[in-house]
């Protein structure tokens, strides 16, 4: 199974010559959760997470009502504020590097 970044997909659709009805269909399908992976643990308050952006770990303190953003109590005090949940990984859980994927897809 491959995981995709919905934000990147939508960005590409918006910046390519894609018919509007296709863009709308993809947007609706993503919003409905049609392509959400089923085996990925949901991040919740109290979880220890890792941010590749910050190269730092921390504990989730608050998750927004829509579940898209989290406020994390980072181990390093350099960072503050909310971050997209999609940019976090449960501490100790690794993603598959792109070079390990079959045919580079």
């Amino acid at each position: 199974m491959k995981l995709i970044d919905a934000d990147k997909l939508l960005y590409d659709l918006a910046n390519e010559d894609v018919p509007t009805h296709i863009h709308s269909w993809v947007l609706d399908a993503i919003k409905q959760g049609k392509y959400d992976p089923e085996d990925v643990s949901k991040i919740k308050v109290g979880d220890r997470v890792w941010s590749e952006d910050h190269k730092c770990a921390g504990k989730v303190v608050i998750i927004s009502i829509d579940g898209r953003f989290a406020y994390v109590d980072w181990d390093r005090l350099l960072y503050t504020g909310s971050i997209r949940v999609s940019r976090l990984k449960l501490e100790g859980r690794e993603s598959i590097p792109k070079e390990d994927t079959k045919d580079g897809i």
Side-chain angles (χ1 to χ4, degrees):
M1 175 201 292
K2 293 183 186 260
L3 303 179
I4 64 167
D5 185 325
D7 292 332
K8 288 180 183 177
L9 173 62
L10 293 173
Y11 177 84
D12 286 345
L13 284 172
N15 291 293
E16 296 292 330
D17 190 19
V18 177
T20 305
H21 70 280
I22 299 292
H23 185 268
S24 296
W25 182 86
V26 172
L27 180 61
D28 289 343
I30 290 170
K31 284 181 181 177
Q32 294 168 8
K34 183 174 182 178
Y35 298 106
D36 288 352
E38 295 176 13
D39 68 340
V40 175
S41 300
K42 300 286 185 190
I43 292 174
K44 56 190 176 301
V45 172
D47 285 344
R48 295 271 313 157
V49 293
W50 171 261
S51 166
E52 191 62 34
D53 297 340
H54 298 323
K55 305 282 191 240
C56 184
K59 182 178 176 182
V60 176
V61 178
I62 299 170
I63 295 182
S64 64
I65 292 173
D66 64 7
R68 293 175 47 202
F69 295 92
Y71 185 87
V72 178
D73 183 14
W74 298 106
D75 293 347
R76 284 192 239 146
L77 298 177
L78 297 172
Y79 307 109
T80 185
S82 62
I83 186 169
R84 284 186 176 276
V85 170
S86 62
R87 304 295 299 162
L88 298 173
K89 299 203 180 338
L90 288 173
E91 193 171 54
R93 184 178 179 128
E94 296 183 24
S95 63
I96 300 170
K98 289 182 180 176
E99 37 297 339
D100 290 346
T101 58
K102 190 175 181 179
D103 299 327
I105 298 174

